[in-house]
């Protein structure tokens, strides 16, 4: 990602830095609908010190990916087991739960209307993306075919951008995942699982974008 600064927008930081979305939620900073504002302005609107918020984000950046393997083969194995399979399992749980909450609480002003549809769109996008990696991109990487992987990697990056847009739709539909007073167990479980899933997905894309993919791309001129 770009070098962290107070001039970056909160939307771009939340999309690229693992843990930033959760930090913004806890700080009452809207990074979805009102996310196209610089970090400095967002911090000041929330009554926070911009410098302290930036320092907290820099700490997240230092910690990001620390537990992931560095070698290509083990890193790919980590991505497959920790993220690919986990995303599939969690989406299979979250989509029906979102449908239930929307159905039961559809008349509530804070109901997550459209959340199940947004999650389904993301599931379909991710499934094609992950299958392409599993069947084509990752095997080529294991064989060390740097030149042959250049174009597939560019496509993977574009698909990550599509996933980020869908994450924004999910955040919007869930109203920042803020539970209303008296929310039932299903609604609580939905948002708890959703926070974990979205944060996982950002970490997944971060590891690919900043650790794995650059090893198969030509250095910038």
């Amino acid at each position: 990602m770009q070098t962290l600064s107070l001039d970056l927008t909160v939307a771009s930081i939340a999309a690229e830095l693992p843990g930033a979305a959760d930090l913004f939620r806890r700080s009452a900073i809207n990074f979805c609908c009102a996310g196209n504002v610089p970090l400095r302005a967002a911090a000041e609107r929330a009554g926070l010190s911009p410098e302290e918020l930036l320092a907290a984000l820099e700490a997240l950046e230092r910690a990001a990916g620390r537990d992931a393997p560095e070698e290509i083969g083990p890193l790919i194995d980590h991505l497959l087991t920790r993220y690919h399979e986990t995303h599939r399992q969690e989406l299979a749980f979250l989509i029906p739960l979102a449908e239930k909450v929307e159905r039961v609480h559809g008349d509530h002003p804070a109901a997550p209307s459209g959340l199940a549809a947004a999650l389904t769109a993301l599931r379909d996008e991710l499934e094609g993306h992950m299958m392409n990696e599993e069947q084509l991109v990752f095997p080529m990487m294991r064989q060390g075919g740097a030149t042959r992987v250049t174009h597939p990697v560019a496509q993977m990056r574009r698909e990550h951008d599509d996933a980020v847009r869908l994450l924004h739709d999910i955040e919007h539909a869930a109203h920042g995942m803020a539970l209303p007073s008296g929310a039932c167990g299903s609604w609580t479980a939905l948002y708890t699982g959703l926070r974990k899933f979205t944060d996982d997905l950002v970490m997944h894309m971060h590891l690919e974008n900043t650790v794995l993919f650059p090893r198969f791309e030509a250095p910038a001129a």
Side-chain angles (χ1 to χ4, degrees):
M1 66 176 292
Q2 302 176 69
T3 302
L4 280 173
S5 77
L6 292 172
D7 296 323
L8 286 182
T9 66
V10 291
S12 65
I13 296 171
E16 298 183 38
L17 179 61
D22 185 55
L23 176 61
F24 289 152
R25 292 188 197 107
R26 289 186 279 107
S27 303
I29 291 175
N30 185 334
F31 57 90
C32 177
C33 302
N36 194 32
V37 296
L39 181 63
R40 182 188 297 278
E44 290 172 347
R45 289 179 188 175
L48 303 172
S49 162
E51 290 73 19
E52 291 181 4
L53 183 59
L54 178 61
L57 291 167
E58 289 171 339
L60 290 175
E61 186 176 45
R62 289 192 296 272
R66 184 175 294 166
D67 297 330
E70 293 185 4
E71 299 82 2
I72 291 173
L75 177 56
I76 289 173
D77 291 338
H78 176 72
L79 291 167
L80 291 171
T81 57
R82 173 63 181 83
Y83 296 107
H84 284 215
E85 290 308 313
T86 302
H87 293 336
R88 288 182 173 113
Q89 293 168 9
E90 292 182 351
L91 283 167
F93 166 76
L94 289 169
I95 291 172
L97 189 57
E99 292 171 341
K100 175 183 177 181
V101 171
E102 289 185 59
R103 183 174 64 252
V104 174
H105 301 286
D107 58 349
H108 193 290
S113 302
L115 177 58
L119 283 169
T120 299
L122 180 58
R123 178 200 62 194
D124 295 344
E125 172 69 26
L126 279 180
E127 188 56 40
H129 176 86
M130 293 190 299
M131 285 185 63
N132 196 10
E133 288 185 332
E134 292 162 6
Q135 297 177 7
L136 175 66
V137 181
F138 287 170
M140 292 171 69
M141 287 178 170
R142 289 184 192 274
Q143 295 168 8
T147 302
R148 293 183 296 126
V149 187
T150 300
H151 292 300
V153 163
Q155 176 63 26
M156 294 298 98
R157 285 190 180 276
R158 287 192 291 270
E159 290 176 6
H160 283 178
D161 292 339
D162 293 337
V164 166
R165 286 189 284 273
L166 290 168
L167 282 175
H168 287 164
D169 292 344
I170 288 167
E171 190 77 21
H172 176 72
H175 306 285
M177 300 182 207
L179 283 167
S181 177
C184 70
S186 293
W187 205 335
T188 302
L190 173 63
Y191 282 9
T192 298
L194 202 54
R195 290 188 197 98
K196 193 265 184 185
F197 166 76
T198 56
D199 288 347
D200 267 3
L201 182 54
V202 172
M203 175 63 87
H204 176 185
M205 293 189 292
H206 173 82
L207 287 174
E208 293 190 348
N209 285 341
T210 66
V211 181
L212 182 62
F213 291 168
R215 299 179 184 183
F216 297 90
E217 296 170 315

